[in-house]
Amino acid sequence: MEARRRFFTLSSFDRLLVVALSLVIVHITTVNAEGDGAARFNNDPDIKDIDIIATYSDVSGAVRISRVKMSHLSASWILENPADGDNGLPNSSQTLGDSFQAGMNLEENVEYPMGDHQSEEVGFFNRQKPPLSPVKLKRQMLRQKRMELRTAELIRQDNENDNIMQETAFEQSKRLEPRVTGKYSIWRRDFESPNTDSTLKLMRDQIILAKAYAHVAKSKNESSLYNSLMKHCKESQRAIGDANSDAELPSSALNQAQAMGHVLSIAKDQLYDCPTVQRKFRAMIQSTEGTVTALKRKSSFLIQLAAKIVPRPLHCLPLQLAADYYLQGHHKKEEQINEKFEDPSLYHYAIFSDNVLATSVVVNSTVAHAKEPEKHVFHIVTDKLNFVAMKMWFLVNAPPKATIQIENIDSFKWLNSSYCSVLRQLESARLKEYYFKANHPSSLSAGSDNLKYRNPKYLSMLNHLRFYLPEVYPKLEKILFLDDDIVVQKDLTLLWSVDLHGMVNGAVETCKESFHRFDKYLNFSNPLISENFSPNACGWAFGMNMFDLKEWRKRNITGIYHYWQDANEDRTLWKLGTLPPGLITFYNLTYPLDRSWHVLGLGYDPALNLTQIDNGAVVHYNGNNKPWLDLAVSKYKPYWSKYVMYDNYYLKNCNFRE
């Protein structure tokens, strides 16, 4: 049997089409064979297998060769005997050649370096080619028709998906009562505006207006105007690119804006109908609002995620400190108990934190403003992971004259699940499902309000340890509780002389008019809440609190906390956190301090009064924008960073920068 091989030179895109349409041209002359079909060829052991060779260029431009065995072809391939004649059909090479030239721009007889054997095969092009059989021609036509139908269907679906949102909103807006608002010629007005970046703003407004008029033109079968508007719209978008100001626009941008303005003028004259255009803009607004809502949810999720992530320098610091603590042999030294730890006549502070750097800022800023630093005792409680690092930091950076006590929360043996409500709840399957199961419904779909309360930090015992102050410090009578995201700006000793009038907690109230009252934090639809508390009761802030421990023990405050924490195991009374149970536990037991003692909002509100911040005794970075994160509000960060020792050996090693 004589095998003839034909070479094609195809681009990568054409090759894909050829494979998809199965239009590889194969001409085979059989000798002493009767009948047609690849099926017969595959079943006949006397017929020698044939190689089919096709060449193509890949994406890099290199020439590639592929081989296919004839025995691997499906039954739809036809073997023809030239003795059968052409049956009145046109020459196959002419028929398929025309098809390729029309659909795929196929190039034939392109010369490439090749061997003698391949040169003989190329000579096949100059020989007469047998015609296609009716069966094969019909199958090729059917395959091509199916491909065309499928392509048309995909294009139609793609167009529908692009317009479905705006089309739906447009139909809904037709039910709205339109109002005549006058003519809209934003492009002419902005050309006369001397404002900075007016050209960029103009072009963006033109694009919006062009899309609106294009939709109206399409609905009225004004295809020429529709195509013109969309063409200029794409050109304007291409001209704008990533520009954020007029200076970043190309020199041709103004000419494009003028050309767009001319097309918009024509569209306005032909299509302007106030009710129709107004409905279209309403539809666009509705569509945009849906997009904005989705982006807000994503933004909220990303902000919460960024607030939880520990920056690399902050992760490096405790590792360096812990390594040096053991290398320098501090773990072998016995600790001496300082009598000041339990002296009730001194000024005692409680700081519960796992952040070494933040804790050092609290201590440094407090000591810097203390008139008698030798009378100030700082009780720092941290977790097992950061205990050694915290000890090492204050060994090498001990504040002058002040006393530092560092404890590991795991050393409190009385703090166990049989006594502590939060630890007991952690063992429940429902709470584990809520916090730690990946297949739990995403809080992103429920909005940002729920997202922040799913942070497992709200179950950390370092947060809930504030409700066990009398157990932690049994010999103290008063203690000032400080969060690790605060900065002290004045001497705080006067707080120990404030008369709390028999109250347990001294705190700054946060309610202003209707904001930050109990109904913001508690579920008053639950009768257990509505029957025991007032929705208009004023909230107050954790972060700087003076606690009278004698009165605490007398009123069994920890027992009250346990009662309400157990009642909220299913999270129906309040969302998780320490402020809601604090509001309940110290209800009618909180004395309001002057607002100048505690200024809040530096972690979320960029519009605070700077004079009020400067006059505050304590400023609090409550919120996600902590001063040690990139999220920090830049104008508030200096209040915190001036107490960071950036020239410290460990901070330099961990690349801390101002």
Side-chain angles (χ1 to χ4, degrees):
M1 175 181 293
E2 177 184 0
R4 297 176 178 178
R5 300 170 181 175
R6 182 168 185 175
F7 289 77
F8 299 108
T9 302
L10 307 178
S11 66
S12 298
F13 176 74
D14 292 338
R15 176 177 173 249
L16 293 176
L17 290 178
V18 169
V19 173
L21 298 174
S22 299
L23 292 180
V24 179
I25 305 175
V26 182
H27 292 271
I28 303 170
T29 303
T30 59
V31 181
N32 298 325
E34 296 180 1
D36 299 326
R40 181 180 180 276
F41 176 89
N42 293 332
N43 295 329
D44 194 339
D46 297 329
I47 299 179
K48 185 178 179 181
D49 205 350
I50 300 172
D51 285 341
I52 301 173
I53 302 176
T55 65
Y56 61 92
S57 59
D58 60 14
V59 293
S60 63
V63 177
R64 305 293 183 188
I65 298 177
S66 294
R67 293 175 178 269
V68 179
K69 289 291 186 179
M70 190 62 180
S71 59
H72 295 167
L73 299 179
S74 67
S76 62
W77 289 76
I78 305 299
L79 300 182
E80 299 178 353
N81 193 325
D84 295 340
D86 59 4
N87 299 320
L89 294 173
N91 185 277
S92 61
S93 62
Q94 179 182 359
T95 303
L96 294 177
D98 295 342
S99 174
F100 277 141
Q101 289 176 2
M104 292 176 283
N105 193 22
L106 180 65
E107 298 180 4
E108 297 190 36
N109 297 328
V110 177
E111 295 183 0
Y112 290 99
M114 58 184 66
D116 296 337
H117 178 68
Q118 293 176 339
S119 299
E120 293 176 2
E121 293 169 337
V122 174
F124 170 75
F125 286 117
N126 299 322
R127 302 176 184 178
Q128 186 177 3
K129 306 171 186 65
L132 292 174
S133 69
V135 177
K136 182 175 181 180
L137 181 62
K138 182 177 180 180
R139 289 179 178 176
Q140 288 182 348
M141 294 174 63
L142 289 174
R143 281 196 296 267
Q144 185 171 358
K145 184 176 181 180
R146 287 197 300 268
M147 192 63 184
E148 291 174 353
L149 291 175
R150 179 58 179 164
T151 302
E153 176 65 18
L154 291 174
I155 294 173
R156 184 187 65 80
Q157 291 179 2
D158 186 61
N159 291 335
E160 288 181 355
N161 291 335
D162 286 343
N163 297 321
I164 188 169
M165 183 178 293
Q166 289 194 9
E167 291 288 347
T168 303
F170 183 73
E171 292 299 325
Q172 292 176 349
S173 67
K174 290 181 179 179
R175 297 193 294 269
L176 301 176
E177 181 65 26
R179 298 179 181 177
V180 178
T181 56
K183 293 185 177 181
Y184 186 76
S185 56
I186 185 67
W187 62 94
R188 294 193 181 98
R189 186 185 70 215
D190 278 5
F191 269 132
E192 300 172 357
S193 174
N195 294 337
T196 306
D197 302 330
S198 59
T199 303
L200 179 62
K201 296 175 183 176
L202 163 67
M203 295 182 72
R204 287 173 175 169
D205 288 340
Q206 286 180 331
I207 291 173
I208 295 173
L209 196 59
K211 289 181 178 179
Y213 276 126
H215 185 90
V216 176
K218 186 176 181 180
S219 64
K220 294 186 177 182
N221 295 323
E222 298 285 348
S223 58
S224 177
L225 184 56
Y226 169 81
N227 293 332
S228 179
L229 287 166
M230 295 307 297
K231 175 185 175 183
H232 281 80
C233 186
K234 292 179 180 178
E235 291 176 352
S236 294
Q237 289 175 330
R238 191 180 301 111
I240 292 174
D242 297 328
N244 294 313
S245 64
D246 282 0
E248 299 176 4
L249 290 173
S251 57
S252 61
L254 187 59
N255 294 333
Q256 176 59 36
Q258 293 174 340
M260 174 70 93
H262 177 69
V263 175
L264 288 173
S265 298
I266 297 175
K268 181 177 72 71
D269 293 339
Q270 295 185 15
L271 303 174
Y272 189 80
D273 176 68
C274 188
T276 302
V277 175
Q278 186 177 20
R279 283 195 298 267
K280 176 55 186 172
F281 277 123
R282 286 184 178 181
M284 294 175 70
I285 290 173
Q286 292 174 11
S287 175
T288 304
E289 285 178 347
T291 303
V292 169
T293 300
L295 291 176
K296 282 183 177 179
R297 289 179 176 175
K298 293 180 181 179
S299 174
S300 176
F301 173 79
L302 293 175
I303 289 174
Q304 295 293 338
L305 182 63
K308 298 172 190 176
I309 292 175
V310 178
R312 181 177 296 179
L314 209 59
H315 179 68
C316 164
L317 181 60
L319 295 178
Q320 294 274 356
L321 290 167
D324 283 358
Y325 182 84
Y326 288 103
L327 288 174
Q328 297 177 18
H330 292 290
H331 62 290
K332 299 178 181 179
K333 300 176 182 179
E334 293 185 5
E335 296 185 25
Q336 296 181 355
I337 299 177
N338 195 322
E339 294 180 355
K340 289 186 176 181
F341 293 165
E342 299 179 347
D343 187 350
S345 64
L346 301 179
Y347 306 112
H348 294 267
Y349 302 84
I351 306 172
F352 305 149
S353 173
D354 58 358
N355 189 325
V356 176
L357 185 63
T359 303
S360 72
V361 169
V362 177
V363 174
N364 292 341
S365 62
T366 305
V367 173
H369 297 93
K371 295 179 180 179
E372 299 176 297
E374 67 277 3
K375 293 185 177 181
H376 293 258
V377 182
F378 296 89
H379 303 271
I380 301 171
V381 180
T382 187
D383 55 17
K384 183 191 302 183
L385 188 64
N386 295 279
F387 175 62
V388 171
M390 194 78 75
K391 291 184 69 174
M392 185 62 186
W393 176 267
F394 286 104
L395 278 173
V396 298
N397 301 291
K401 300 181 181 180
T403 303
I404 306 292
Q405 180 190 23
I406 300 174
E407 296 180 277
N408 182 357
I409 191 173
D410 293 323
S411 66
F412 301 151
K413 301 304 180 184
W414 50 267
L415 198 63
N416 50 59
S417 59
S418 62
Y419 177 65
C420 176
S421 299
V422 171
L423 288 176
R424 183 165 57 252
Q425 291 171 7
L426 269 175
E427 297 176 355
S428 69
R430 283 186 299 176
L431 211 59
K432 291 179 181 178
E433 178 74 19
Y434 183 75
Y435 277 100
F436 306 112
K437 294 294 185 180
N439 59 353
H440 193 277
S442 172
S443 59
L444 180 60
S445 61
S448 60
D449 290 340
N450 290 336
L451 178 63
K452 63 181 180 180
Y453 290 107
R454 284 193 59 193
N455 190 339
K457 77 174 185 178
Y458 290 113
L459 296 175
S460 169
M461 282 311 303
L462 283 177
N463 278 322
H464 288 264
L465 190 61
R466 64 191 69 188
F467 294 105
Y468 299 93
L469 286 170
E471 287 86 343
V472 181
Y473 310 110
K475 295 186 178 181
L476 299 183
E477 296 178 356
K478 274 191 174 183
I479 195 167
L480 183 64
F481 173 80
L482 298 176
D483 268 343
D484 64 358
D485 56 351
I486 63 103
V487 174
V488 178
Q489 301 187 128
K490 293 182 179 180
D491 184 18
L492 301 180
T493 55
L494 291 177
L495 283 170
W496 275 263
S497 62
V498 173
D499 185 2
L500 298 181
H501 299 279
M503 301 296 181
V504 179
N505 175 27
V508 170
E509 293 183 335
T510 56
C511 58
K512 297 177 182 179
E513 298 179 356
S514 61
F515 298 103
H516 292 280
R517 297 188 180 274
F518 270 42
D519 58 354
K520 176 179 174 62
Y521 304 99
L522 305 176
N523 178 18
F524 277 88
S525 63
N526 191 302
L528 194 58
I529 295 294
S530 59
E531 292 172 3
N532 289 280
F533 307 99
S534 169
N536 295 320
C538 191
W540 45 266
F542 265 133
M544 191 212 70
N545 305 82
M546 176 58 70
F547 289 113
D548 186 336
L549 300 184
K550 290 177 63 177
E551 197 69 27
W552 183 310
R553 299 182 185 98
K554 180 180 176 180
R555 295 177 180 269
N556 189 23
I557 298 301
T558 302
I560 296 174
Y561 161 72
H562 282 163
Y563 171 80
W564 287 106
Q565 191 69 41
D566 288 338
N568 191 49
E569 184 172 358
D570 56 357
R571 303 181 304 280
T572 58
L573 303 184
W574 68 81
K575 295 176 181 179
L576 288 179
T578 53
L579 181 56
L583 296 177
I584 288 180
T585 301
F586 297 103
Y587 183 62
N588 291 332
L589 295 173
T590 299
Y591 178 79
L593 300 176
D594 187 270
R595 292 185 183 274
S596 63
W597 281 110
H598 190 185
V599 178
L600 298 110
L602 278 74
Y604 68 89
D605 188 356
L608 294 176
N609 188 310
L610 294 181
T611 302
Q612 185 181 7
I613 294 176
D614 293 334
N615 294 332
V618 169
V619 293
H620 194 174
Y621 292 83
N622 56 313
N624 287 324
N625 304 333
K626 301 300 184 186
W628 53 84
L629 299 175
D630 291 337
L631 296 173
V633 181
S634 57
K635 63 180 178 180
Y636 300 152
K637 193 168 184 177
Y639 293 99
W640 183 83
S641 60
K642 66 182 178 180
Y643 296 104
V644 179
M645 299 179 292
Y646 287 102
D647 58 346
N648 181 272
Y649 165 79
Y650 292 103
L651 298 190
K652 285 184 177 180
N653 279 355
C654 292
N655 296 321
F656 277 94
R657 298 182 178 88
E658 295 190 48

